[in-house]
Amino acid sequence: MKYYIIAGEASGDLHGANLLKALFKNEPDAEVRFWGGDLMQKVGGTLVKHYKDLAFMGFAEVVMNLQTILKNIDFCKKDILAFNPDVIIFIDYPGFNMRIAKWAKEKGFDTHYYISPQIWAWKEGRIKAIKRDVNHMYVILPFEKDFYEKKHHYQVDYVGHPLLDEIDSFKKERANDFRNVHELDERPIIALLPGSRKQEISRLLSEMLQIVDDYPQFQFIIAGAPSLEFDFYKPFIKKENVKFISNDTYNLLNNAYAALVTSGTATLETALFKVPQVVVYKGNEISYQIAKRIIKLSYISLVNLIMDELVVTELIQKDCNPSNIKKEFEKLINNSSRVKILTKYHELEDKLGGVGASERVINSLNNNLRQL
């Protein structure tokens, strides 16, 4: 069988690599061409385009690079036609992938989508295009199945979350002696995950660090974003019991007692490492007010969204201030609160279906192919 896979971001490269491992395990002679990155390339197949050449974020940047984006779309179509795959698998990256899916379906290719666009949060109107252009959708969040099937009458396969595979693999293969490697003492570790973009880090890290002096019994460690140098963080680190690490977030979470986390995938990763957390978010006020009117969700963290209840505290906008952070942190380090959160984390992991998401995608894909 010939497979064409399109992953346009670092997260897609990670999940795509696991998918390729499962694919080659099931079908060693599979022919694969893909858009992705270094992780996918290490597994096998032919890398067509690296995601670093595709990373245009934000309205202004997209407009400035529109010519390049259109050339990439045109090139992708020509490459697919030349390869003539049996199956095309799209991994997230909806702005690009949905355009290719529309064209591919019209050309008669078999279209499969792994990791749904978050149309349950915004752009719900995309459901029309998905129904029209995607033959099979594989979703990773339990509530997405009900969203598609009950609300929109579109059959999907729920395969579980690939982060479970990543964390399981990390714990088996890559965990290091964190305290010795980073020359840490024996005090409990508080992980600070302030995000990956300069603006959000600038807003949130200074708020997080204001509680440090009140807790000398802990050591606070900032998880640096891979894309940012230490020089960016240096002005924030003015206290003795604050340290900085980069490219070792999983080891940090694996050794943390508690965490302050910016909303995003990191909230789910923190939960899966069984670290009690407070979720914080503060954005540009105008952008926040616009988003609040467009995005209709009860919670901002994946933990609470999946559980459909307030498992971890969310401090948003004006509520995200040093006074509230300290108040919620006090609850976080209280034993009774910790037990309650950790119990819910185990329920969360059960809801996500356990390890093996990539294998389940390949199994579901094969079942769907047999039904053709």
Side-chain angles (χ1 to χ4, degrees):
M1 291 275 287
K2 296 168 71 174
Y3 300 83
Y4 200 98
I5 303 174
I6 305 175
E9 298 162 303
S11 60
D13 180 38
L14 176 66
H15 302 321
N18 285 325
L19 189 68
L20 282 176
K21 289 175 188 175
L23 175 60
F24 286 128
K25 183 179 178 181
N26 180 73
E27 191 179 338
D29 297 328
E31 293 183 58
V32 182
R33 286 178 70 82
F34 63 87
W35 295 43
D38 300 341
L39 297 176
M40 293 177 74
Q41 193 169 24
K42 285 178 183 176
V43 179
T46 301
L47 175 63
V48 179
K49 279 272 187 181
H50 200 290
Y51 69 80
K52 289 179 181 177
D53 299 327
L54 311 171
F56 303 118
M57 299 290 289
F59 179 77
E61 193 174 5
V62 167
V63 171
M64 288 171 59
N65 292 281
L66 187 58
Q67 201 65 31
T68 301
I69 293 169
L70 292 174
K71 283 181 180 178
N72 283 335
I73 290 171
D74 185 58
F75 172 78
C76 183
K77 292 175 181 178
K78 289 177 179 176
D79 196 58
I80 290 172
L81 286 173
F83 185 55
N84 193 28
D86 299 292
V87 178
I88 302 176
I89 302 173
F90 304 97
I91 301 179
D92 204 1
Y93 198 51
F96 186 91
N97 274 337
M98 286 304 300
R99 292 188 68 167
I100 299 297
K102 181 178 186 297
W103 169 86
K105 184 65 180 292
E106 289 171 350
K107 292 292 182 183
F109 289 105
D110 191 13
T111 54
H112 296 248
Y113 213 116
Y114 176 39
I115 305 180
S116 164
Q118 294 181 350
I119 65 170
W120 39 266
W122 72 309
K123 291 192 176 180
E124 192 169 344
R126 272 183 171 166
I127 185 63
K128 293 179 182 177
I130 288 172
K131 283 183 169 183
R132 182 189 65 218
D133 303 328
V134 178
N135 290 341
H136 299 284
M137 175 72 74
Y138 308 91
V139 301
I140 64 173
L141 299 170
F143 61 79
E144 289 179 321
K145 186 170 178 67
D146 283 348
F147 171 82
Y148 276 111
E149 295 186 349
K150 292 183 179 179
K151 187 172 183 180
H152 293 291
H153 311 292
Y154 176 71
Q155 190 73 31
V156 300
D157 292 291
Y158 172 57
V159 296
H161 206 292
L163 273 181
L164 291 167
D165 295 343
E166 275 306 301
I167 292 170
D168 181 65
S169 173
F170 161 81
K171 288 183 175 180
K172 287 178 179 176
E173 300 171 14
R174 288 175 283 173
N176 65 28
D177 188 355
F178 185 75
R179 289 180 185 270
N180 286 336
V181 167
H182 295 286
E183 299 179 344
L184 304 174
D185 58 44
E186 292 305 312
R187 288 176 297 167
I189 292 167
I190 307 301
L192 304 179
L193 279 64
S196 59
R197 299 182 182 88
K198 286 185 176 181
Q199 285 183 328
E200 67 183 0
I201 294 169
S202 297
R203 288 192 187 101
L204 293 163
L205 188 53
S206 56
E207 304 275 11
M208 293 177 177
L209 290 172
Q210 287 191 51
I211 72 168
V212 168
D213 286 339
D214 296 319
Y215 299 97
Q217 71 271 34
F218 297 113
Q219 51 191 327
F220 293 78
I221 302 181
I222 301 166
S227 58
L228 299 175
E229 299 294 328
F230 173 68
D231 285 347
F232 173 75
Y233 294 90
K234 196 172 181 180
F236 296 97
I237 306 171
K238 300 173 183 176
K239 303 176 189 296
E240 285 188 11
N241 64 331
V242 176
K243 289 184 167 56
F244 173 87
I245 66 159
S246 188
N247 295 317
D248 208 9
T249 302
Y250 276 13
N251 267 311
L252 171 58
L253 290 173
N254 200 36
N255 288 271
Y257 181 73
L260 303 177
V261 186
T262 300
S263 178
T265 304
T267 63
L268 183 55
E269 291 172 315
T270 302
L272 293 175
F273 273 100
K274 308 300 188 295
V275 181
Q277 64 184 297
V278 174
V279 177
V280 297
Y281 178 79
K282 183 180 284 188
N284 173 279
E285 185 61 26
I286 294 174
S287 297
Y288 172 73
Q289 291 300 331
I290 293 171
K292 192 167 72 169
R293 285 159 176 77
I294 296 173
I295 301 173
K296 298 177 180 180
L297 297 173
S298 302
Y299 307 105
I300 63 168
S301 74
L302 277 172
V303 176
N304 293 338
L305 281 169
I306 293 167
M307 294 297 290
D308 196 24
E309 62 177 294
L310 192 67
V311 174
V312 295
T313 298
E314 300 178 350
L315 298 177
I316 307 170
Q317 288 303 98
K318 293 178 182 178
D319 290 334
C320 180
N321 58 61
S323 175
N324 283 340
I325 291 173
K326 182 179 179 181
K327 177 183 173 184
E328 295 303 327
F329 182 73
E330 285 283 350
K331 296 177 185 176
L332 207 64
I333 59 178
N334 178 280
N335 282 334
S336 61
S337 295
R338 292 179 63 81
V339 169
K340 184 177 179 181
I341 292 172
L342 292 171
T343 299
K344 288 295 181 180
Y345 280 174
H346 285 286
E347 292 179 23
L348 168 73
E349 192 164 0
D350 289 340
K351 263 196 167 188
L352 290 174
V355 298
S358 300
E359 287 80 5
R360 286 191 286 272
V361 174
I362 297 302
N363 290 336
S364 294
L365 187 145
N366 286 331
N367 288 334
N368 290 329
L369 291 176
R370 282 194 288 269
Q371 292 171 18
L372 290 178

